[in-house]
Amino acid sequence: MKKVILDVDTGSDDAIAIMMAVLSGKLDILGITVTWGNRPVEDCVENTLKVLELLGKRIPVYRGCPQAMVRYLTRQRNAALDKDGISITLDGEEYTVHPSSFPLPEPREKEQDEHACSFLVNTVKESKEKITLISVGPLTNLGMALRMCPEMKDHIEKIVIMGGGVHKGNITPCAEANFYHDPEAAKIVLESGIPCDVIPLNATHSAEISLDDAAELEATGKAAAVFAASLIRQRIDALEKMKAGNGYSDAIHDALAVASLLDDKVIETWETKAFDIDINGGAGDGALIIDDRMNAEAEFPVRFAMKANKEIFFDMMKEMLSR
Amino acid sequence: MKKVILDVDTGSDDAIAIMMAVLSGKLDILGITVTWGNRPVEDCVENTLKVLELLGKRIPVYRGCPQAMVRYLTRQRNAALDKDGISITLDGEEYTVHPSSFPLPEPREKEQDEHACSFLVNTVKESKEKITLISVGPLTNLGMALRMCPEMKDHIEKIVIMGGGVHKGNITPCAEANFYHDPEAAKIVLESGIPCDVIPLNATHSAEISLDDAAELEATGKAAAVFAASLIRQRIDALEKMKAGNGYSDAIHDALAVASLLDDKVIETWETKAFDIDINGGAGDGALIIDDRMNAEAEFPVRFAMKANKEIFFDMMKEMLSR
Amino acid sequence: MKKVILDVDTGSDDAIAIMMAVLSGKLDILGITVTWGNRPVEDCVENTLKVLELLGKRIPVYRGCPQAMVRYLTRQRNAALDKDGISITLDGEEYTVHPSSFPLPEPREKEQDEHACSFLVNTVKESKEKITLISVGPLTNLGMALRMCPEMKDHIEKIVIMGGGVHKGNITPCAEANFYHDPEAAKIVLESGIPCDVIPLNATHSAEISLDDAAELEATGKAAAVFAASLIRQRIDALEKMKAGNGYSDAIHDALAVASLLDDKVIETWETKAFDIDINGGAGDGALIIDDRMNAEAEFPVRFAMKANKEIFFDMMKEMLSR
Amino acid sequence: MKKVILDVDTGSDDAIAIMMAVLSGKLDILGITVTWGNRPVEDCVENTLKVLELLGKRIPVYRGCPQAMVRYLTRQRNAALDKDGISITLDGEEYTVHPSSFPLPEPREKEQDEHACSFLVNTVKESKEKITLISVGPLTNLGMALRMCPEMKDHIEKIVIMGGGVHKGNITPCAEANFYHDPEAAKIVLESGIPCDVIPLNATHSAEISLDDAAELEATGKAAAVFAASLIRQRIDALEKMKAGNGYSDAIHDALAVASLLDDKVIETWETKAFDIDINGGAGDGALIIDDRMNAEAEFPVRFAMKANKEIFFDMMKEMLSR
Ligand SMILES: [Ca+2]
Ligand SMILES: [Ca+2]
Ligand SMILES: [Ca+2]
Ligand SMILES: [Ca+2]
């Protein structure tokens, strides 16, 4: 079984991604490291533990960095963004894409004492077998770990990353939220020389999950599927309220990243391109910049998923979550 | 007749644009202001005068700014770019997209004493009729003039601009050369509140002119058409040598901007979008950032040409240049 | 007589500077160009005309740029500053260092039609005799004119500039207001290669004018001196209210710049140093950076006044203003 | 005894600082964490182990980050600096302030397996007694550790930092090398809310150690003193060769930081000031910006040593190193 470490900021789509990874039975999950992003790291840790409790699965959970490496250090750079795009309050009621506290039973397990970054460095560095990392939040923990110990590189099979958008943004016109929240970390990871499978907005929005799909999940009656259905509905609803969604379907970003590792048929188109990530704090801050020019040459072993197969994706999701 | 002022950095495609504007007979060209860009401003002035001499046409030519407003002030920001993408030397021979000195007879007319920016401010401010500006080089002269006198706005019908790329770049992965060379000026102009018709790379590359087209132009035997044909061939050749072209056809950017003003059928698709221009000096420096998000709202009266009709474009070019 | 052009953002200390320049009888003032800074450019023009009216002196006044070249183009860079440091409202009453409208009779003269930048370029370029420029506001007009026409350089004797601070700031911890408001323009001017006499905060605060001095001025009973006395008192009062002054004396910055040109004994210490100006929009934005290191070599003919002689300065002020 | 952790980039003055800290007998040194800066981290680790070997002292040594958090990620920001100021080659001979490999016997001890940042986080977080950190290199390890675990703050007595300059620079006109090499880390540490004693260039250059002092150290015949004497001479010589020193004396920066903790009389003047650190990548990059304005209010418990007592400093050095 493939040895993996998951890095998450749970988060609705993170929850579905974790459940698929665990229930797939195909991954030897050495640990789950948690970062900030959708919510403060404490909430993301708690949500992660609750999801594992729901699955009745013991996997060590490590709390990571509570903030981006450096992105929020200046007043100027902070001034760029008005709203986070996660929640909206209308008529006194809050609609959110990512519940701060999942409506699930309290977890019995606690988080580990070791810091996520220390765990990453130690586990990867000492592993004889190469490890695969899956990152579905801001890349802070991975960027920090690679900065601590670049030699980790030799022990990493590849890094599967949900993040970025090829000529697409969500939190800003040109930047996707995971990259935007820690552009320096994203740059460190993608330029590390480690093979990266990047799942950008292009792929995730090419395989949106709908209210009808959520109904199918719920109809299975299985705990994971039912919880996933409720998260999907809540996302679709909140995004519509924020006028950022169509009210019928939405990308379940992080789950597609996990799915791409479990079955490579779920991604129909990969492109290996020269790229950069803007970290200069202006209008392009956090943007993944793809070089489509005729004479561009890719410098790093990074490929971008441009299109996913929605049927395969949803079939995997339904099948695994209803186990 | 529509009163216009042309702002150019002549330049091969500028030359064709000027010839079309003059020979169209539809424009009352009050003056041609010249800036730097393809070549130093002195060369661009000389080339402009030569083109007018070829046409036997007296139009006052005003020398403008010899450099971007502020873009090249720091060593850091200068470090981003290795090459200009205009010329290459192979086996001791230079191939260039933009000849520094056109192989045409010496012009008899001289440039005017007045500075291009002063001419722009004075002419526009005092005009009772609204004036249309056409800018097909870095936007330095226009940005400076608008900074000098924002009240110009009320006397400008619209500004037709060749520049930018919607999710496309040429001089960098994400920036087109005219915007890249003076991003601050581009930002001042596009955010001025004046209606702008932007002709980005998307439109110009959707209507490339080919070697076969050049042959047709040459076959007319008319001076303007023959000169245009030679410029087109030289562009296609130089870009191929730089591995930045297909060796058969190329966008004649500036000419399409003029054409769009002469006949609006040449542009098949316009989009009005929220946008920004990155001026922060990082990887995204000079990028036109388009907001494709569902809830984006355009703040300025700026529309972007996404697709042109090649047949209409070339027919105009051939018909006008062979007059 | 030395031919000069004054560039001002009148402003209390600008007013005193203008009065000294005019009443000195030693300067052939070709024109006064006005920029924004202390107040919007319209107000600064009006204040300038009023001062000339008070002096009964006809000197052409040219309106210049209403804003910095590029400094305020982004939300991020704007976010750095809370307050302008010019005015404060306490208990409903406004205290200001720079009245928006001087309490003086309406001027009979009007501003010129020509733009300040055009006037600068044309007058300097065509002058056979070298001209001295005196700049006591943000350097926008001069920076723009030099960008339009770098050849102006050969016709300029020197530029006397009130601005910057050597290891001192006022509007920010490290930046003086004139440089801060248009750092790019300051960089263009100081790095133009034209000899510059910079009068920074170090010199101006080494020769503060006090309430007692103001009383002396008023006691002369002469219009210019009495008006100057009222401006000086108002400055001292407003700065104390803002907790930015000692309540007894204050630098009359711009007047010292003019004085330094009229009598070089007023500056006791000049230093020629390698320098830079930060234009990167962070904490150091607009800072004059002086290189005090042992192996630093000055690249430009720019000297900084480090200390002034207060007695000589005030004697000049009193003598000239009471003419 | 005060529990301390030393963070170093050994380095000549680091070596003297370590020897003083160890030989003082007043500090319970829990570990020495090593970072990059003067030399690559591998060399700094090796040099540190050699110094401990010379002292016959077993203290665990932890290798830390081999590079700044984010400072060197872009080509633009890298372009600012020509030379490092550490070494110069003249007539084929290299003169260096910081030997890459100390001419000392090979160490018998090895570095620890644990990463410096993990060690810092774990040791500090779990300590019941508050720990004092001493940082005399770029602040990468500390910045990273604080980013990993801001709760460390409650277990830190204070941080003694050699770095910065109050209106003084060395590696650039306005930035000191330790802050310049990792400005973001410096900002994280100084703005952490933890009490910081900063020993900037102002203090270290107010107490320079001379060739005569080196002779005195050597005359003691003790190994540590003799080694220190050789390092001091080498520094003075190399700086003179680089025209950055007077050829007679030099600041032994890091040793003063340790001394300030051992005997507070060695610092004659402390100032608590509002400050900022520029991280924007321009001319002011890495500058410590001190707010000397009348109405500035210090926001953080950070004090800056402005002047040291050379006699006390050298007496301590001589006395301790000759034990
Ligand atoms: Ca996530
Ligand atoms: Ca052009
Ligand atoms: Ca002023
Ligand atoms: Ca050190």
Side-chain angles (χ1 to χ4, degrees):
Chain A
M1 272 209 301
K2 209 183 276 291
K3 288 188 186 306
V4 304
I5 299 173
L6 254 72
D7 189 62
V8 299
D9 64 326
T10 322
S12 56
D13 50 340
D14 306 71
I16 300 174
I18 293 169
M19 294 192 296
M20 287 177 69
V22 170
L23 294 173
S24 74
K26 291 188 185 168
L27 303 175
D28 177 10
I29 305 175
L30 305 179
I32 299 179
T33 55
V34 186
T35 189
W36 71 292
N38 294 324
R39 293 286 176 179
V41 67
E42 300 81 16
D43 295 342
C44 295
V45 166
E46 192 71 9
N47 280 341
T48 303
L49 291 167
K50 282 177 172 175
V51 169
L52 294 177
E53 181 76 30
L54 179 75
L55 300 176
K57 193 81 183 184
R58 286 195 165 192
I59 296 171
V61 172
Y62 301 85
R63 182 196 297 219
C65 299
Q67 219 200 72
M69 291 183 73
V70 307
R71 199 234 168 290
Y72 295 95
L73 285 176
T74 63
R75 188 155 35 145
Q76 289 92 334
R77 209 169 170 188
N78 286 344
L81 208 63
D82 289 330
K83 44 189 175 196
D84 62 4
I86 285 180
S87 305
I88 193 171
T89 300
L90 296 172
D91 297 332
E93 190 162 357
E94 195 199 35
Y95 300 87
T96 185
V97 175
H98 298 291
S100 67
S101 177
F102 285 167
L104 292 174
E106 285 304 303
R108 275 165 300 181
E109 298 296 322
K110 297 279 168 238
E111 63 184 87
Q112 305 295 307
D113 280 342
E114 197 177 6
H115 191 278
C117 294
S118 301
F119 167 73
L120 277 164
V121 168
N122 293 336
T123 306
V124 170
K125 202 179 57 178
E126 287 159 18
S127 178
K128 280 173 193 161
E129 197 179 325
K130 284 198 173 187
I131 293 179
T132 296
L133 305 183
I134 310 172
S135 167
V136 296
L139 286 139
T140 313
N141 285 341
L142 268 57
M144 294 279 288
L146 281 169
R147 179 54 84 232
M148 286 166 70
C149 180
E151 301 86 353
M152 282 174 65
K153 176 185 169 181
D154 300 328
H155 304 261
I156 298 177
E157 179 76 25
K158 76 172 163 189
I159 311 182
V160 179
I161 296 162
M162 193 283 126
V166 176
H167 309 306
K168 267 177 113 71
N170 55 13
I171 195 166
T172 78
C174 58
E176 177 275 343
N178 284 346
F179 279 20
Y180 183 81
H181 281 315
D182 201 340
E184 280 83 0
K187 194 164 165 73
I188 289 171
V189 172
L190 267 75
E191 297 183 351
S192 66
I194 301 167
C196 291
D197 278 2
V198 178
I199 313 294
L201 297 175
N202 311 63
T204 64
H205 281 290
S206 75
E208 296 193 353
I209 303 299
S210 71
L211 291 178
D212 290 333
D213 298 325
E216 268 196 56
L217 289 173
E218 187 164 38
T220 66
K222 300 300 172 73
V226 169
F227 181 50
S230 75
L231 292 172
I232 292 165
R233 284 199 196 99
Q234 187 171 1
R235 283 180 72 90
I236 293 170
D237 186 36
L239 286 167
E240 188 186 25
K241 291 287 190 300
M242 288 184 265
K243 304 195 174 160
N246 60 18
Y248 173 65
S249 65
D250 187 33
I252 309 300
H253 311 282
D254 299 351
L256 184 64
V258 166
S260 78
L261 183 66
L262 294 172
D263 182 353
D264 54 21
K265 285 193 293 294
V266 78
I267 302 299
E268 296 187 344
T269 318
W270 288 104
E271 292 188 0
T272 298
K273 293 274 193 178
F275 67 89
D276 202 343
I277 293 173
D278 190 299
I279 60 172
N280 252 58
D285 207 15
L288 170 65
I289 293 173
I290 293 291
D291 196 342
D292 287 324
R293 295 176 299 171
M294 193 176 296
N295 50 7
E297 286 171 28
E299 188 181 354
F300 300 102
V302 174
R303 59 179 188 166
F304 301 91
M306 297 306 292
K307 193 172 179 315
N309 183 308
K310 193 250 155 157
E311 283 66 38
I312 297 178
F313 179 38
F314 182 65
D315 286 350
M316 290 173 69
M317 185 185 291
K318 184 175 161 193
E319 195 272 325
M320 289 171 186
L321 296 187
S322 57
R323 282 178 183 179
Chain B
M1 273 209 300
K2 207 183 277 293
K3 287 187 187 306
V4 304
I5 299 173
L6 254 73
D7 189 62
V8 299
D9 63 329
T10 321
S12 57
D13 50 340
D14 306 72
I16 301 175
I18 293 169
M19 294 192 295
M20 287 178 69
V22 171
L23 294 173
S24 75
K26 291 189 185 166
L27 303 175
D28 177 9
I29 305 175
L30 306 178
I32 299 180
T33 54
V34 185
T35 188
W36 70 293
N38 293 325
R39 292 286 174 178
V41 69
E42 300 80 14
D43 294 342
C44 296
V45 166
E46 192 71 8
N47 279 341
T48 304
L49 291 167
K50 283 179 173 175
V51 169
L52 294 177
E53 181 77 29
L54 179 75
L55 300 175
K57 193 82 183 179
R58 286 195 166 194
I59 295 171
V61 171
Y62 301 84
R63 184 195 295 218
C65 299
Q67 217 200 76
M69 290 183 72
V70 307
R71 199 235 168 289
Y72 294 96
L73 285 175
T74 63
R75 186 152 42 144
Q76 290 93 334
R77 210 169 170 188
N78 285 344
L81 208 62
D82 289 329
K83 42 188 174 199
D84 61 6
I86 285 180
S87 306
I88 194 171
T89 300
L90 295 173
D91 297 330
E93 191 162 357
E94 196 199 33
Y95 299 86
T96 185
V97 176
H98 298 291
S100 67
S101 177
F102 285 167
L104 292 175
E106 286 303 303
R108 276 165 299 183
E109 298 296 321
K110 297 279 167 235
E111 63 184 89
Q112 304 295 309
D113 279 342
E114 197 177 8
H115 191 279
C117 295
S118 301
F119 167 73
L120 278 163
V121 167
N122 293 337
T123 307
V124 171
K125 204 178 59 178
E126 287 158 20
S127 177
K128 278 173 191 157
E129 196 178 326
K130 284 197 174 188
I131 293 179
T132 295
L133 306 183
I134 309 172
S135 166
V136 296
L139 287 137
T140 312
N141 286 340
L142 269 58
M144 293 279 289
L146 282 168
R147 179 54 83 235
M148 286 166 70
C149 180
E151 301 86 354
M152 282 174 65
K153 176 184 168 180
D154 300 330
H155 304 261
I156 297 177
E157 179 75 23
K158 76 172 162 187
I159 310 182
V160 179
I161 296 163
M162 193 283 126
V166 176
H167 309 306
K168 267 178 115 71
N170 54 14
I171 194 166
T172 79
C174 59
E176 178 274 342
N178 283 346
F179 279 21
Y180 182 80
H181 281 315
D182 201 340
E184 281 82 0
K187 195 166 164 72
I188 289 171
V189 173
L190 267 75
E191 297 183 349
S192 65
I194 301 168
C196 293
D197 278 2
V198 178
I199 313 295
L201 297 176
N202 311 64
T204 64
H205 281 290
S206 76
E208 296 193 352
I209 302 299
S210 70
L211 292 177
D212 291 332
D213 297 327
E216 269 195 56
L217 289 173
E218 187 164 38
T220 66
K222 299 299 171 75
V226 169
F227 181 49
S230 74
L231 293 171
I232 291 166
R233 283 198 198 100
Q234 187 171 3
R235 285 179 71 90
I236 292 171
D237 185 36
L239 287 167
E240 189 187 24
K241 291 287 190 300
M242 288 185 267
K243 303 193 174 162
N246 61 18
Y248 173 65
S249 65
D250 186 34
I252 309 299
H253 310 282
D254 299 353
L256 185 63
V258 166
S260 78
L261 184 66
L262 293 172
D263 180 354
D264 54 21
K265 284 193 292 297
V266 78
I267 302 299
E268 295 188 345
T269 319
W270 288 104
E271 292 188 0
T272 297
K273 292 276 195 177
F275 68 89
D276 203 343
I277 293 173
D278 190 298
I279 60 171
N280 252 57
D285 206 16
L288 169 66
I289 294 173
I290 293 290
D291 196 344
D292 287 324
R293 296 176 300 170
M294 193 177 295
N295 50 9
E297 286 171 28
E299 188 181 351
F300 299 102
V302 174
R303 59 180 187 164
F304 301 91
M306 299 305 291
K307 195 172 177 314
N309 184 309
K310 193 249 152 156
E311 282 66 38
I312 297 177
F313 179 38
F314 181 66
D315 287 349
M316 290 173 70
M317 186 185 291
K318 185 177 160 191
E319 195 272 325
M320 289 171 184
L321 297 187
S322 56
R323 281 179 185 178
Chain C
M1 270 207 302
K2 208 184 277 293
K3 286 188 188 307
V4 304
I5 299 173
L6 254 73
D7 189 62
V8 300
D9 64 325
T10 322
S12 57
D13 50 340
D14 306 72
I16 301 175
I18 293 169
M19 294 192 294
M20 287 178 69
V22 170
L23 294 173
S24 74
K26 291 187 184 168
L27 304 175
D28 177 10
I29 306 175
L30 306 178
I32 299 180
T33 55
V34 186
T35 189
W36 71 293
N38 294 325
R39 293 286 175 179
V41 67
E42 300 80 16
D43 294 343
C44 296
V45 166
E46 192 71 9
N47 279 341
T48 303
L49 290 167
K50 282 179 172 174
V51 169
L52 293 177
E53 180 78 28
L54 179 75
L55 299 176
K57 193 81 183 181
R58 285 194 165 193
I59 295 172
V61 171
Y62 301 85
R63 184 196 293 217
C65 299
Q67 219 200 73
M69 290 183 73
V70 307
R71 199 233 168 289
Y72 295 95
L73 284 176
T74 63
R75 184 149 46 141
Q76 289 92 334
R77 208 169 171 188
N78 286 343
L81 208 64
D82 289 330
K83 43 188 175 198
D84 62 4
I86 285 179
S87 305
I88 194 172
T89 301
L90 295 173
D91 298 330
E93 190 162 357
E94 196 200 35
Y95 300 87
T96 185
V97 175
H98 298 292
S100 68
S101 177
F102 286 167
L104 292 175
E106 286 303 304
R108 276 166 298 182
E109 298 296 321
K110 296 282 168 233
E111 64 183 89
Q112 304 295 309
D113 279 342
E114 197 177 8
H115 192 279
C117 295
S118 300
F119 167 73
L120 278 163
V121 167
N122 293 337
T123 307
V124 170
K125 203 179 58 178
E126 288 158 20
S127 179
K128 281 176 192 157
E129 198 179 325
K130 284 198 173 188
I131 294 179
T132 295
L133 304 183
I134 310 172
S135 166
V136 296
L139 287 138
T140 313
N141 286 340
L142 268 58
M144 294 279 288
L146 282 168
R147 180 52 86 233
M148 287 166 69
C149 181
E151 301 85 356
M152 283 175 64
K153 177 184 168 180
D154 300 328
H155 303 261
I156 298 176
E157 178 76 24
K158 76 173 163 187
I159 311 181
V160 179
I161 296 162
M162 193 283 127
V166 176
H167 309 307
K168 268 178 113 72
N170 55 13
I171 195 166
T172 79
C174 58
E176 178 274 343
N178 283 347
F179 278 20
Y180 182 82
H181 281 315
D182 202 340
E184 280 83 0
K187 195 165 165 71
I188 289 171
V189 173
L190 268 75
E191 297 183 350
S192 65
I194 301 167
C196 292
D197 279 1
V198 178
I199 313 295
L201 297 175
N202 310 65
T204 64
H205 281 290
S206 75
E208 295 192 353
I209 303 300
S210 71
L211 291 177
D212 290 333
D213 297 327
E216 268 194 59
L217 289 174
E218 186 164 37
T220 66
K222 300 300 171 76
V226 170
F227 181 50
S230 75
L231 292 172
I232 292 166
R233 284 198 197 99
Q234 187 171 1
R235 283 181 72 91
I236 293 171
D237 186 35
L239 286 168
E240 188 186 25
K241 291 287 190 298
M242 288 184 266
K243 303 195 174 158
N246 60 19
Y248 174 65
S249 65
D250 186 33
I252 308 301
H253 310 282
D254 298 352
L256 184 64
V258 167
S260 78
L261 183 66
L262 293 171
D263 181 354
D264 54 20
K265 285 194 294 293
V266 77
I267 302 300
E268 296 187 344
T269 317
W270 289 103
E271 292 188 359
T272 297
K273 293 275 194 179
F275 67 90
D276 203 342
I277 293 173
D278 191 299
I279 60 172
N280 253 57
D285 206 15
L288 170 65
I289 294 174
I290 293 291
D291 196 343
D292 287 324
R293 295 177 300 170
M294 192 177 296
N295 49 9
E297 286 171 29
E299 187 182 352
F300 299 102
V302 174
R303 58 181 189 165
F304 300 91
M306 299 305 291
K307 196 173 177 311
N309 183 308
K310 194 252 155 157
E311 282 67 38
I312 296 177
F313 179 38
F314 182 64
D315 286 350
M316 290 172 71
M317 185 185 291
K318 185 176 162 191
E319 195 272 325
M320 290 172 184
L321 298 187
S322 57
R323 281 178 184 181
Chain D
M1 270 209 303
K2 207 182 279 293
K3 286 186 188 307
V4 304
I5 298 173
L6 254 72
D7 189 62
V8 300
D9 63 327
T10 320
S12 57
D13 51 339
D14 306 73
I16 301 175
I18 294 170
M19 294 192 294
M20 287 178 69
V22 170
L23 294 173
S24 75
K26 290 186 183 169
L27 303 175
D28 178 9
I29 305 174
L30 305 178
I32 299 180
T33 55
V34 186
T35 190
W36 71 293
N38 294 325
R39 293 285 175 179
V41 67
E42 300 80 13
D43 295 341
C44 296
V45 166
E46 192 72 9
N47 279 340
T48 304
L49 290 167
K50 283 178 172 174
V51 169
L52 293 177
E53 181 77 29
L54 180 76
L55 300 176
K57 194 80 183 184
R58 286 194 166 193
I59 296 171
V61 172
Y62 301 85
R63 183 197 295 217
C65 299
Q67 218 200 73
M69 290 183 72
V70 306
R71 199 235 169 288
Y72 295 95
L73 285 176
T74 62
R75 186 153 39 144
Q76 290 91 334
R77 208 169 172 188
N78 286 344
L81 208 63
D82 289 329
K83 42 190 176 194
D84 63 5
I86 285 181
S87 305
I88 193 171
T89 299
L90 296 174
D91 297 330
E93 191 162 356
E94 195 199 36
Y95 300 86
T96 185
V97 176
H98 298 292
S100 67
S101 177
F102 286 167
L104 292 175
E106 285 303 302
R108 276 165 299 182
E109 298 295 321
K110 297 278 168 235
E111 63 184 88
Q112 304 296 307
D113 279 342
E114 197 177 7
H115 191 279
C117 295
S118 300
F119 167 74
L120 277 164
V121 167
N122 292 337
T123 306
V124 170
K125 202 178 60 178
E126 287 158 20
S127 177
K128 281 176 190 156
E129 196 179 325
K130 284 198 174 187
I131 293 179
T132 295
L133 305 183
I134 310 172
S135 166
V136 296
L139 286 139
T140 313
N141 286 339
L142 268 60
M144 293 279 289
L146 282 168
R147 179 55 84 232
M148 286 166 70
C149 181
E151 302 85 353
M152 282 174 64
K153 176 184 169 181
D154 300 329
H155 304 261
I156 297 176
E157 179 76 23
K158 77 172 162 190
I159 310 182
V160 179
I161 296 162
M162 192 284 126
V166 176
H167 309 307
K168 266 178 114 70
N170 54 14
I171 194 166
T172 78
C174 58
E176 178 275 341
N178 283 345
F179 278 22
Y180 182 81
H181 280 315
D182 201 340
E184 281 83 359
K187 193 164 165 73
I188 290 171
V189 173
L190 266 75
E191 297 185 350
S192 66
I194 301 168
C196 292
D197 279 1
V198 178
I199 314 294
L201 296 176
N202 310 64
T204 64
H205 280 291
S206 76
E208 295 192 353
I209 303 299
S210 70
L211 291 177
D212 290 333
D213 297 326
E216 268 196 58
L217 289 174
E218 187 165 38
T220 65
K222 298 301 171 73
V226 169
F227 181 50
S230 75
L231 293 172
I232 291 166
R233 283 198 197 102
Q234 187 171 0
R235 285 179 71 91
I236 293 171
D237 185 35
L239 288 167
E240 189 187 23
K241 291 287 189 299
M242 287 185 267
K243 303 195 173 157
N246 60 20
Y248 173 65
S249 65
D250 186 35
I252 309 300
H253 310 282
D254 298 351
L256 184 64
V258 166
S260 79
L261 184 67
L262 293 172
D263 181 354
D264 54 22
K265 285 194 294 295
V266 78
I267 302 299
E268 294 188 346
T269 318
W270 289 103
E271 292 188 0
T272 298
K273 293 275 194 178
F275 67 89
D276 203 341
I277 293 174
D278 190 299
I279 61 172
N280 254 56
D285 206 16
L288 170 66
I289 294 173
I290 293 291
D291 197 343
D292 286 324
R293 294 176 301 170
M294 194 178 293
N295 50 7
E297 286 172 30
E299 187 182 352
F300 299 103
V302 174
R303 59 180 187 165
F304 301 91
M306 298 304 293
K307 195 174 178 311
N309 183 308
K310 194 251 156 157
E311 283 67 37
I312 296 178
F313 179 39
F314 182 65
D315 287 350
M316 290 173 71
M317 185 185 292
K318 184 176 163 193
E319 195 271 325
M320 288 170 185
L321 297 187
S322 57
R323 281 178 184 178

